[in-house]
């Protein structure tokens, strides 16, 4: 698919993209540069007394390490293609086509709950994902569903902090918007088919970044309609000066 090389020619986008925030981030250093830097539990996770209420699917297909640079600090994501193959492939496609280099806003972030993101900083990048014909079929949910499985016998909640999945609105509705859990959550993935996790944050610095993402706007941040129309515009930056953004994402390693 075409990479939008002309995006930097948009003056408003360019100005907004390189605007800096006044808050100072303290977690800018990372020691994760390849899959070899992950612990065995991060590389091939299994259920423990503190994380993962059940064993995730075995890694019979490739694992990818994606590193995103954000205004809140670095974010490392282990993409397990065996967890949700269809959803994982689309995220990796978006990374490889430089989608996240358009400055993607963390738009709907609720403290200790979730942060939603995905609408492109350059609105033309959204076009590939618009309409029902471009929505993804659902992957099977590997997490146990229903109210009786919100926590397990050890008290581990179903949707762990740092899990990544899609935002959606019904069956087969996944497109170009995502959520990441800012805290352990017992309700997510309990029956909504779009919420099956396809990857998770890895490394201490990534969890520090999740804690740094600004949540003060909560549900009153920029609307999806406005972001879809304007992208990461000067107007968005002026009206929501504390908003955090993804500045780039790259595949840095894989088992493929």
């Amino acid at each position: 698919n075409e990479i939008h090389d002309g995006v930097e020619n948009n003056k408003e986008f360019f100005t907004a993209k390189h605007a800096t925030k006044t808050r100072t981030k303290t977690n800018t250093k990372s020691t994760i540069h390849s899959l070899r830097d992950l612990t065995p539990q991060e590389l091939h996770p299994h259920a423990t007394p503190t994380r993962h209420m059940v064993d995730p699917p075995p890694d019979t297909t490739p694992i990818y390490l994606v590193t995103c640079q954000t205004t809140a600090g670095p974010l490392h994501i282990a993409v397990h293609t065996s967890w949700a193959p269809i959803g994982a492939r689309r995220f990796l496609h978006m990374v490889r086509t430089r989608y996240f280099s358009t400055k993607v806003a963390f738009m709907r972030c609720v403290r200790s709950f979730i942060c939603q993101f995905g609408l492109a900083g350059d609105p033309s990048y959204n076009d590939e994902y618009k309409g029902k014909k471009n929505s993804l079929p659902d992957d099977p949910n590997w997490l146990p569903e229903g109210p009786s499985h919100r926590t397990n016998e050890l008290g581990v909640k179903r949707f762990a902090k740092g899990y990544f999945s899609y935002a959606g609105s019904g069956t087969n509705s996944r497109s170009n918007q995502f959520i990441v859990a800012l805290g352990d959550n017992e309700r997510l993935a309990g029956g909504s088919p779009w919420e099956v996790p396809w990857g998770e944050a890895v490394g201490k610095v990534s969890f520090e970044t999740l804690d740094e993402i600004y949540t003060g706007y909560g549900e009153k941040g920029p609307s999806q309609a406005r972001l879809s129309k304007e992208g990461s515009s000067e107007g968005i930056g002026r009206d929501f000066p504390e908003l955090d953004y993804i500045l780039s994402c790259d595949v840095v390693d894989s088992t493929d």
Side-chain angles (χ1 to χ4, degrees):
N1 291 337
E2 178 185 3
I3 298 176
H4 295 231
D5 295 322
V7 74
E8 298 291 355
N9 295 324
N10 183 313
K11 182 178 180 181
E12 182 178 13
F13 170 80
F14 184 83
T15 302
K17 181 179 179 182
H18 294 281
T20 56
K21 296 177 59 176
T22 56
R23 291 190 292 127
T24 300
K25 305 303 181 184
T26 59
N27 62 327
T28 55
K29 294 183 179 180
S30 178
T31 58
I32 295 179
H33 306 290
S34 75
L35 291 171
R36 292 187 299 274
D37 296 322
L38 303 186
T39 67
Q41 172 67 1
E42 289 173 327
L43 187 61
H44 300 295
H46 56 83
T48 74
T50 58
R51 185 173 178 82
H52 303 296
M53 74 176 312
V54 296
D55 288 336
D59 291 303
T60 56
T61 57
I63 306 165
Y64 293 84
L65 178 64
V66 171
T67 293
C68 298
Q69 300 301 327
T70 84
T71 55
L75 188 57
H76 305 291
I77 306 169
V79 180
H80 295 267
T81 57
S82 64
W83 290 12
I86 299 170
R89 281 198 299 270
R90 171 160 289 184
F91 175 73
L92 291 168
H93 167 74
M94 294 169 73
V95 171
R96 288 166 173 148
T97 55
R98 313 306 299 165
Y99 183 97
F100 294 99
S101 295
T102 67
K103 190 184 180 189
V104 173
F106 286 113
M107 54 166 282
R108 177 177 166 250
C109 301
V110 179
R111 186 173 179 266
S112 300
F113 178 39
I114 62 166
C115 193
Q116 185 172 336
F117 64 97
L119 290 171
D122 173 1
S124 68
Y125 273 65
N126 295 319
D127 293 345
E128 179 181 349
Y129 307 99
K130 288 180 178 178
K132 189 173 183 179
K133 65 182 177 63
N134 291 316
S135 295
L136 298 177
D138 293 322
D139 284 296
N141 190 6
W142 53 269
L143 287 168
E145 298 181 352
S148 62
H149 295 291
R150 288 175 178 168
T151 62
N152 65 14
E153 64 278 5
L154 299 175
V156 179
K157 295 181 179 180
R158 178 164 46 213
F159 202 93
K161 180 178 180 179
Y163 275 5
F164 283 82
S165 68
Y166 282 80
S169 58
T171 302
N172 301 327
S173 64
R174 296 181 299 173
S175 182
N176 62 335
Q177 294 197 57
F178 304 91
I179 60 171
V180 58
L182 301 182
D184 295 337
N185 186 279
E186 62 184 22
R187 294 181 179 271
L188 291 172
S192 299
W194 57 88
E195 290 174 352
V196 55
W198 45 261
E200 64 174 337
V202 289
K204 179 182 177 183
V205 69
S206 296
F207 287 87
E208 292 172 350
T209 293
L210 293 180
D211 291 338
E212 285 279 356
I213 293 172
Y214 186 71
T215 58
Y217 298 125
E219 299 278 0
K220 298 181 179 180
S223 69
Q224 294 186 51
R226 185 176 177 188
L227 280 171
S228 295
K229 181 179 179 180
E230 296 182 27
S232 298
S233 65
E234 287 183 319
I236 293 288
R238 182 173 57 251
D239 294 344
F240 302 95
E242 297 300 318
L243 209 63
D244 277 303
Y245 300 87
I246 299 174
L247 303 176
S248 66
C249 290
D250 296 282
V251 176
V252 298
D253 199 6
S254 77
T255 58
D256 196 2

